[in-house]
Amino acid sequence: MKGKIIVSVVSLILVVGVAIGVVVAVHKKNDDPEVQAQQRSLSVICQNAEDKKLCHETLKSVTGIEAADPKAYIAAAVKATTDSVIKALNMSDRLTTEHGNKDNGIKMALDDCKDLLQFAMDSLQLSMNLVKENNIQSVHNQTPDFRNWLSAVISYQQTCMDGFDDDKDGEKKIKEQLNEQSLDQVGKITGVTLDIVSGLSNILEQFNLKFDIKPASRRLLEVDSQGFPTWFSAADRKLLAKMNGRGWRSRVKPNVVVAKDGSGQFRTVKDAIASYPNGFKGRYTIYVKAGVYDEYITVPKEAVNLLMYGDGPQRTIITGHKNFRDGTKTMQTATFANTANGFIAKAMTFENTAGPDGHQAVALRNQGDMSAFVGCHILGYQDTLYVQTNRQFYRNCVISGTIDFIFGTSPALIQHSVIIVRKPNDNQFNTVTADGTSQKNMGTGIVIQNSDIVPEQALFPVRFKINSYLGRPWKQFSRTVVMECNLGDFIHPEGWFPWAGSSFLDTLYYAEYNNAGPGANVQRRIKWKGYRGLISKAEATQFTAGEFLKAGPRSGTDWLKALHVPHNLGFTKA
C-alpha cells in the first residue's frame, strides 16, 4: 500500500509538471510576435463578418509573412468558398446516383443544383483570377464586380435549395441531407467572403493602405451634343445611332436570320443560337423575323455578347406554357432562359401562357451578367420574370403578371417601362416583386424606375376587391426600391405585403422615392422597421443605374454602352 502511494505521488508530480509545461508553452506561443500580428490582422479582416468565429476559423491558416498581407486573406477566403462548392457538387452527384432514378422530382432538383453549382464555380473562378492577377489596389477598385460574383454564388446556392419541394417528404429529406452536409456551408463561407470584400476600404485603411480612387460614375453622366455619353467610342456611337429611330433594322446587318417561312438560314430560334461559332469575338447578331415561335430556349454561357432582335413585340413572339402545377420545377418552366454574359434582346415578346392556374410559370429567366432587354414584352402570370442573378437592365419593356411576377436575386433595374398587373384567380392577390436578397452585404435588389404600374383591363373593374401590392420579402434582406414611377389607384394603401407572418420585416429594405399617381400616397403604408418610406434624393442615388449597376471604377457602367442600349444613369425627373 505504501509503495502504491509513493508511485501515485510521483505520477501526480509528473502530471502537474506536464500541465505547467503546457501552460508555459501556450503562454510563450501567445507572446510570439508573429502570432500576435496574425491575431491582430484576423481581427481587422473579420471585423465586418456577420459570423466572426467562422471567419477566424476559415482564415487562421494564413500565417508567417502572408499574415500582414490582406490579399492573402482574401485569396484564402475565396479558396475556402470554392472548396465548399466543390464539396456540394460532389454531394449532388452522389445523391443523384443514389436517388435520381427513384423520383423524378428529386432528379430534376439535383440536376438543377449541379448546373447552378457549376455556375457558382464560374463566378468563383472570376473572383480567384481577380485576386491572383492583380495587386490589392486593383482588387479594391473592382469591388463592385467582386461583390456581384459572390452575391451570385449565394443566389445559386439558395436557388438550389428552393428547387426542392418541402411538401414532398422525399425531396425534403434530400434537401436536408444536402444542406447539412455541404450546401449550408457554401452560403455561410461565401457570406464571410462577401462581408470581407464589402468592408475592404476600411480594412485596407487599418492595414495602412489608402488609395485615391475617383469613381468612374462621376464622368459617366456627361453627354455630347447628340445626347450620347462621352465615353462612347466613335464606332459605338455609330452602331447606337443605327439602332435608334425608324427603319433601324435595315441598318443593322445580322449574322444569321430566323424565319418560320424558310426565308432565313434557320426556322427556329434554338437552331440559330446553336450556330454561335466557338470562340467567336465581337457581337453575334440574330434577327428573328415575325412569327410565333413555340419553343423552349436556353442561351448557353459560351454564347457571350449575343444580340437578338425581332420585328416588334407584337410580331416576334417566343411562347411556351411549362408550369409548376404540371410537375416542372420553377427554374425549368422558363420559355426563354439566358445564361450568357453581355446578352441583349430587342423588340420581341417572351411569354408563358400557363395562366393563373399554372402557379409558377416563368416567361423569361435571366442570369447573364451585364445583360439587357430593350423594347421587349415579358408576359405571364405568377413568376413571369425571373431575374435570377448578376447585373441586369430592362428598358422600354412591358412586364405583366400577378404573384411575385418580378422575382429573383440579382441587381436588376427596370427603367422607363410599363408594369401591368393582371387579374389573378379569385382567391389570390397580386405582388409585383419578390426579391431574394438573403445576406445584408449582397449587392442585389430590384429597382423599378420611371415606369408606370397599372392594372390590366380585366383587373380594372375589380381592382379594389383584389389587393395588389408593390412587393413582398422572399428572403431575409429583401431589397426593393420603386422610384420616379406613376402608381395607379389600385395599389393597396399599405403598399407592401408580408411573406409569412412577421418574417424579415425588420431586416428588409423597401423604399420609395419621387413617385406620382394616386397609388403613391404613403400615408397609410405599412409600419415595418425595414420599410424606409420616402427616402431622400441622396439615399435614392445609390439605386440609379450609374451606381446600382456599375462594375469596377475603370469600366463603371460602360457595359451598358457596350450593349448599345438607351439608358439614364441618374435620375429621370427633376
Side-chain angles (χ1 to χ4, degrees), residues 114-133:
K114 286 186 285 187
D115 287 342
L116 291 161
L117 290 170
Q118 190 55 63
F119 282 115
M121 288 295 293
D122 294 339
S123 294
L124 288 169
Q125 187 62 58
L126 290 169
S127 302
M128 184 59 77
N129 291 345
L130 172 63
V131 177
K132 282 185 175 181
E133 298 170 5

Side-chain angles (χ1 to χ4, degrees), residues 54-252:
L54 178 60
C55 183
H56 280 258
E57 289 176 351
T58 302
L59 303 180
K60 64 184 180 182
S61 61
V62 180
T63 58
I65 192 171
E66 287 191 333
D69 180 7
K71 200 176 86 162
Y73 292 101
I74 297 171
V78 174
K79 184 181 183 304
T81 303
T82 304
D83 290 343
S84 70
V85 173
I86 292 171
K87 183 178 179 182
L89 261 171
N90 292 336
M91 183 73 175
S92 298
D93 271 332
R94 183 171 67 80
L95 290 172
T96 300
T97 301
E98 294 175 359
H99 303 278
N101 295 325
K102 302 175 184 177
D103 187 301
N104 190 49
I106 291 174
K107 184 180 186 305
M108 281 194 292
L110 286 171
D111 285 345
D112 285 346
C113 276
K114 286 186 285 187
D115 287 342
L116 291 161
L117 290 170
Q118 190 55 63
F119 282 115
M121 288 295 293
D122 294 339
S123 294
L124 288 169
Q125 187 62 58
L126 290 169
S127 302
M128 184 59 77
N129 291 345
L130 172 63
V131 177
K132 282 185 175 181
E133 298 170 5
N134 296 276
N135 60 31
I136 191 62
Q137 179 174 357
S138 295
V139 172
H140 177 255
N141 288 354
Q142 289 184 250
T143 294
D145 293 316
F146 211 162
R147 285 185 68 204
N148 176 71
W149 298 328
L150 294 171
S151 298
V153 173
I154 295 172
S155 174
Y156 294 132
Q157 177 255 355
Q158 70 184 35
T159 303
C160 169
M161 296 302 295
D162 290 335
F164 294 91
D165 190 343
D166 287 336
D167 292 331
K168 297 181 178 179
D169 289 340
E171 292 189 38
K172 185 178 181 181
K173 289 178 182 178
I174 295 298
K175 173 182 176 179
E176 290 173 350
Q177 188 175 353
L178 184 59
N179 193 41
E180 289 172 2
Q181 297 188 29
S182 61
L183 210 56
D184 182 57
Q185 199 70 357
V186 171
K188 288 179 177 178
I189 296 180
T190 309
V192 164
T193 309
L194 180 61
D195 291 343
I196 293 169
V197 171
S198 299
L200 195 53
S201 292
N202 188 38
I203 289 171
L204 296 183
E205 282 187 13
Q206 293 180 58
F207 273 89
N208 295 318
L209 296 169
K210 298 182 180 180
F211 311 115
D212 181 22
I213 298 172
K214 297 178 180 179
S217 55
R218 294 290 179 263
R219 64 179 176 84
L220 291 176
L221 295 175
E222 300 173 4
V223 296
D224 65 10
S225 59
Q226 293 180 298
F228 293 125
T230 54
W231 34 256
F232 277 108
S233 67
D236 288 331
R237 296 183 197 195
K238 185 177 180 180
L239 180 56
L240 182 62
K242 284 183 179 180
M243 296 194 70
N244 281 299
R246 292 184 177 181
W248 61 266
R249 290 173 186 82
S250 65
R251 298 191 294 270
V252 177

Side-chain angles (χ1 to χ4, degrees), residues 499-536:
W499 185 268
S502 60
S503 298
F504 317 144
L505 304 187
D506 290 346
T507 52
L508 60 79
Y509 181 103
Y510 282 167
E512 301 175 52
Y513 172 75
N514 199 21
N515 295 313
N521 190 329
V522 300
Q523 295 301 313
R524 293 171 57 191
R525 288 291 195 258
I526 38 81
K527 306 299 180 184
W528 306 336
K529 182 178 178 181
Y531 175 62
R532 301 305 198 271
L534 293 177
I535 57 176
S536 67

